[in-house]
Amino acid sequence: MKKKIRLWGAALLAAAVTALAAVTVPAPASAAALTEVTSFGANPSNLRMYLYVPDSVAPRPGLLVAVHYCTGSGPAMYSGTQFAALADRYGYIVIYPSVTRSSKCFDVSSPQALRRDGGSDPVGIKSMIDHVRARYPVDADRIFATGISSGAMMTNVLLGLYPDVFAAGAAFAGVPFACFATTNGSEWNSECANGQLVRTPQQWGDLVRNAHPGYAGKRPRMQTWHGTNDETLRYPNFGEQIKQWTNVHGLSQTPTYTDTPQAGYTRTRYGGSGPTAPVEAISMSGVSHSLPVDAAQALRFFGLDGTPTPTTPPPTTPPPTTPPTTTPPPTTPPPGGACRVTSTVNAWNNGLTTEITVTNTGGTTVSGWALGFTLPGGQSITSGWNASYSPASGAVTARNVSYNGTIAPNASVGIGFQATHTGNTGRPTSFTLNGAPCSVA
């Protein structure tokens, strides 16, 4: 098990270094510096506390807890992300907790860590927040958490344990609250990491509610990011987080808003369509565990960049459960050979994701499309992106959604789905676009 933890730490370190290398961090414009704080209060797991206070602090500053990845540290999170540089612009304060145990992973597994004020890392982080609030005029309604990998798991934990403290969180490549729970002292939960812990929304929501029994107040908003090719904390954990936090907020799992903020990214919002919806989820097609950390988008979700936070509760009427309106395919299909399809499969144990790229090789624009293919035996689609899929197995048709209904000549559209399998992890061998066969690359 120690070997597994070392391997996990090495994998997460490599992933985090790659991801953080992709982020260009401007040099701070001020003389403010990261400072270590000692004797900040109850600290049962001997965390270290680092604090960044910009030279120009807002009159009622927000407070952000930025939680590092496995094998990382508070100073590495400070220097490797843009949260401090953006604090110079917007005047909020940043806490960077730092693990001292050998794995440098946060405790998101033990019974103590998953119970409010139960002990371990969450108690130390809460003490850091109390320490800052006692010394600065922090806006109690603008306290947030964010993190990468192990830090993203801790973000889920903090929002579950302290809903009366945190207004929102942003988790980059994490897992749901209590997904990593163990009772044998291990820091690693293979079933969760591999995306095999699948529960109902109610079950996931109950885990959060039971961590702070009797609490009936407002719940923190959640933003979650995940790459479809995450090889360390598998992509199914993305969907399980959506289940958990929509249920905690009493929302449907059907998005109220879907868009593509950039190529390969699918963003869904639940319980609202604005920039500070109760739950926001960004699926990153083809991205591994070393995902880029978009600090500016996290701040936008928090409202720390000046975006107003909602002043009214989300609607009590659940969003419609009907699928988005699609543009019907043309009555005359494109001629045979006017399309090309490529696909790749990323498989694990009993699950997989399939990425599909459809290219219009014809001379006219396709307006409204339906891609037909047959899944290998034993595969069954559980979720998908950039298309609606029906049925879940056998001969499947993927139809465009509202924002990608046209494919210009020589243009492409990327779609994909997550599926279970019983051993056959192959990909479809033939495709038709609006009834006409496509070449397969």
Side-chain angles (χ1 to χ4, degrees):
M1 182 56 67
K2 289 183 179 180
K3 180 179 179 182
K4 181 177 289 185
I5 292 173
R6 287 198 299 271
L7 290 173
W8 181 49
L12 292 182
L13 175 61
V17 168
T18 302
L20 298 177
V23 178
T24 301
V25 183
S30 70
L34 188 70
T35 304
E36 183 169 8
V37 177
T38 58
S39 302
F40 48 83
N43 185 21
S45 53
N46 196 33
L47 297 178
R48 298 176 74 173
M49 174 185 175
Y50 295 88
L51 186 66
Y52 185 78
V53 181
D55 284 345
S56 298
V57 178
R60 289 279 289 164
L63 178 60
L64 176 63
V65 179
V67 195
H68 68 73
Y69 45 89
C70 248
T71 75
S73 67
M77 189 73 174
Y78 161 76
S79 62
T81 61
Q82 292 181 307
F83 294 111
L86 291 169
D88 291 331
R89 182 184 307 173
Y90 298 118
Y92 60 85
I93 298 170
V94 192
I95 295 171
Y96 296 93
S98 198
V99 169
T100 58
R101 64 178 61 86
S102 60
S103 68
K104 299 298 178 67
C105 301
F106 283 91
D107 178 11
V108 294
S109 306
S110 74
Q112 293 82 10
L114 297 174
R115 187 176 67 251
R116 181 182 173 91
D117 297 333
S120 198
D121 296 348
V123 168
I125 294 173
K126 174 63 163 52
S127 294
M128 297 177 194
I129 294 170
D130 292 341
H131 178 90
V132 174
R133 292 182 65 182
R135 288 158 179 80
Y136 297 91
V138 169
D139 185 341
D141 293 326
R142 295 199 303 152
I143 300 176
F144 307 95
T146 188
I148 307 167
S149 191
S150 178
M153 299 190 219
M154 178 54 73
T155 297
N156 277 267
V157 169
L158 290 172
L159 266 61
L161 296 180
Y162 298 106
D164 51 336
V165 173
F166 292 96
F172 292 87
V175 304
F177 175 93
C179 184
F180 241 63
T182 60
T183 56
N184 60 0
S186 172
E187 296 178 53
W188 181 257
N189 185 319
S190 295
E191 189 179 13
C192 177
N194 289 331
Q196 297 169 314
L197 268 182
V198 177
R199 295 187 168 105
T200 66
Q202 182 71 35
Q203 289 171 328
W204 281 123
D206 285 345
L207 287 170
V208 171
R209 287 181 285 270
N210 292 339
H212 185 12
Y215 178 75
K218 187 177 180 181
R219 292 285 178 174
R221 296 177 297 110
M222 171 60 86
Q223 181 191 66
T224 182
W225 303 70
H226 222 100
T228 61
N229 287 0
D230 194 316
E231 72 286 3
T232 305
L233 300 173
R234 299 286 188 175
Y235 184 67
N237 285 300
F238 177 67
E240 299 306 297
Q241 286 178 86
I242 293 172
K243 287 183 188 177
Q244 183 168 70
W245 291 103
T246 52
N247 181 265
V248 166
H249 282 275
L251 303 172
S252 165
Q253 283 77 60
T254 300
T256 55
Y257 177 88
T258 302
D259 72 346
T260 305
Q262 68 182 71
Y265 285 28
T266 300
R267 177 170 58 192
T268 49
R269 290 171 177 162
Y270 305 80
S273 59
T276 55
V279 178
E280 180 175 89
I282 300 91
S283 174
M284 309 160 79
S285 178
V287 174
S288 68
H289 193 63
S290 56
L291 79 178
V293 176
D294 194 332
Q297 285 298 310
L299 294 187
R300 183 268 307 159
F301 180 75
F302 296 155
L304 278 176
D305 64 347
T307 302
T309 54
T311 56
T312 57
T316 55
T317 303
T321 57
T322 54
T325 303
T326 60
T327 305
T331 55
T332 303
C339 51
R340 181 177 67 250
V341 175
T342 60
S343 62
T344 58
V345 173
N346 177 36
W348 64 92
N349 295 339
N350 61 351
L352 58 83
T353 56
T354 299
E355 301 271 349
I356 299 172
T357 301
V358 184
T359 302
N360 178 6
T361 57
T364 59
T365 297
V366 176
S367 296
W369 51 264
L371 185 73
F373 56 90
T374 300
L375 283 180
Q379 292 186 17
S380 180
I381 295 174
T382 57
S383 63
W385 55 95
N386 293 349
S388 60
Y389 299 83
S390 180
S393 59
V396 176
T397 299
R399 298 184 185 277
N400 68 273
V401 289
S402 58
Y403 54 82
N404 63 2
T406 60
I407 313 175
N410 299 315
S412 301
V413 62
I415 66 173
F417 59 83
Q418 178 183 321
T420 57
H421 68 82
T422 57
N424 186 344
T425 60
R427 55 183 179 174
T429 57
S430 62
F431 298 85
T432 61
L433 184 64
N434 294 345
C438 299
S439 61
V440 179

